[in-house]
Amino acid sequence: MPSWEGLGAELGITSAHAIVVVLSAVGIYVAFLVFVRIFGQRVLTAMSTFDVVITVMLGAVAGRVILGHPPTLMSGVLGLGTLFLLEVVFGHLGTRARWQRVFNSPARLLMIGDRVDEHALRRAHITHSELNGALRRAGVRSYREVACVLHEPGGGISVLHRGVPIDRRILADVAGADRIPEEFLTEDIGDAPLDAPHDR
């Protein structure tokens, strides 16, 4: 039977270890942001079995680095608390236009009309199979139904259909939106808000 002192040591944490846990959590968090910025939004989505395995391995590596050896309950709580605090801080900064450009890549065009942008696919690390899967999920039966396909900052793929003109304001934060043909867009309506009432 372990003594109460030994049990307390296993559950607790020293001040030196606490500092190490906080610094490690900050370092891992910042490193993850940097890697996502370098390798693109694709790493945020698990689109295959391989991606799921990599995600689990990343979590295991990050957890060991943050908690150190041996991990304790208090080091785990402190590590989680630090990560949540960082998420709040960086989430608040991410609402500001200046920091949005630092933390997030802009939405990018993968298709314009029925033409696939091969360079954009390679840059986003998205295969034709994954693109076609996103089109099928959006109910697309032919490339001729597509106005444009976007790779969003969060890693998802958005499909906009032909038939209903696209409001230009929806594309305001899309890199290369000027390449979308005018026939797919609404007329320029200035800076009116999205919820502006229609004339009767």
Side-chain angles (χ1 to χ4, degrees):
M1 290 288 293
S3 65
W4 286 110
E5 291 79 6
L7 182 60
E10 289 294 326
L11 296 177
I13 187 171
T14 64
S15 58
H17 192 188
I19 293 173
V20 170
V21 168
V22 171
L23 293 178
S24 297
V26 172
I28 284 292
Y29 191 91
V30 172
F32 184 78
L33 290 179
V34 171
F35 284 133
V36 169
R37 194 69 175 87
I38 292 173
F39 294 108
Q41 306 98 297
R42 176 65 173 81
V43 299
L44 296 176
T45 55
M47 295 186 179
S48 68
T49 302
F50 176 77
D51 294 324
V52 173
V53 172
I54 292 298
T55 300
V56 172
M57 292 174 64
L58 287 174
V61 170
R64 294 299 299 177
V65 170
I66 292 173
L67 300 183
H69 181 77
T72 64
L73 174 62
M74 285 307 299
S75 63
V77 171
L78 183 59
L80 284 177
T82 302
L83 290 176
F84 274 106
L85 179 60
L86 289 169
E87 181 66 16
V88 171
V89 172
F90 281 91
H92 178 68
L93 291 176
T95 62
R96 303 182 180 183
R98 179 190 305 176
W99 289 98
Q100 283 180 359
R101 293 190 294 270
V102 175
F103 296 142
N104 296 316
S105 298
R108 297 186 181 277
L109 292 165
L110 300 179
M111 285 184 67
I112 300 176
D114 58 2
R115 183 176 62 83
V116 177
D117 188 329
E118 300 291 345
H119 175 72
L121 278 186
R122 290 193 298 271
R123 182 173 181 176
H125 307 289
I126 293 175
T127 65
H128 278 272
S129 178
E130 291 166 344
L131 174 63
N132 289 334
L135 293 175
R136 291 192 296 269
R137 288 192 296 272
V140 172
R141 294 163 296 179
S142 168
Y143 277 15
R144 293 189 299 273
E145 299 177 25
V146 176
C148 62
V149 177
L150 309 171
H151 189 213
E152 301 290 356
I157 298 177
S158 298
V159 180
L160 301 182
H161 297 255
R162 297 193 197 190
V164 178
I166 304 169
D167 192 318
R168 297 170 190 269
R169 293 167 295 180
I170 294 177
L171 304 173
D173 60 342
V174 176
D178 56 315
R179 295 187 289 129
I180 298 176
E182 291 291 325
E183 64 187 276
F184 297 150
L185 306 173
T186 59
E187 296 182 4
D188 191 359
I189 56 177
D191 297 325
L194 282 173
D195 57 352
H198 297 289
D199 294 333
R200 294 182 180 275

